[in-house]
Amino acid sequence: MSISVVYWSGTGNTQAMAEAVAEGIRSAGADSVVMEVSDADAAALAEEEAFALGCPSMGAEQLEESEMEPFVEMLEPLVSGRKILLFGSYGWGDGEWMRDWCERMKNAGAVLVREEGVTANDAPDDEALEECRAAGKELAS
């Protein structure tokens, strides 16, 4: 089984989290493909039983608008029954964008590996990266 980890990252923080999620997936014995959202295909991703999506908080606590938001909009009607992990970093606020994103995916029928997603304030520290690895392992189990 191969599990995709699709992300958008402006500063590299969410990319570091994506790599840690992929490490966790591999540690559980599954293959993992890490790709930027600009290289991902929503229809192909929706064929997978499980996948991870990462995006930092942007603007007034929302998903990145030019690439990630349109991708999530395309994916939304296709996620019912899929096992999904959501993750991302933020520099301000309290993580509202992640709660909104999790709620949105649950309402679309997705099965979330972590109800609240996995977040890191600014650059992910060792603890946040370890949480990403653990969540990746759960996603693959």
Side-chain angles (χ1 to χ4, degrees):
M1 173 167 79
S2 182
I3 298 175
S4 295
V5 180
V6 176
Y7 72 93
W8 186 93
S9 188
T11 60
N13 293 343
T14 300
Q15 180 178 4
M17 295 176 78
E19 298 293 347
V21 167
E23 285 172 32
I25 291 168
R26 288 191 287 270
S27 76
D31 288 327
S32 180
V33 179
V34 179
M35 70 184 91
E36 291 186 46
V37 69
S38 56
D39 298 328
D41 176 319
L45 187 64
E47 298 284 312
E48 296 183 26
E49 288 178 33
F51 53 87
L53 298 172
C55 185
S57 172
M58 304 292 286
E61 292 221 45
Q62 59 208 29
L63 296 176
E64 187 277 328
E65 295 176 303
S66 65
E67 293 183 75
M68 196 57 156
E69 177 59 40
F71 185 79
V72 170
E73 282 176 19
M74 282 188 285
L75 199 56
E76 212 167 341
L78 310 172
V79 298
S80 188
R82 298 291 179 265
K83 193 169 155 185
I84 301 177
L85 169 66
L86 301 177
F87 64 93
S89 64
Y90 63 101
W92 60 90
D94 67 356
E96 181 186 353
W97 105 102
M98 182 58 71
R99 289 192 299 277
D100 291 347
W101 196 13
C102 288
E103 190 67 25
R104 183 175 168 186
M105 292 292 107
K106 276 192 285 202
N107 289 342
V111 178
L112 297 185
V113 170
R114 296 280 175 106
E115 285 291 309
E116 306 277 309
V118 177
T119 59
N121 194 325
D122 293 322
D125 58 13
D126 290 344
E127 191 179 321
L129 292 174
E130 195 44 55
E131 193 180 342
C132 288
R133 287 185 202 99
K137 197 170 186 175
E138 286 171 40
L139 183 63
S141 301

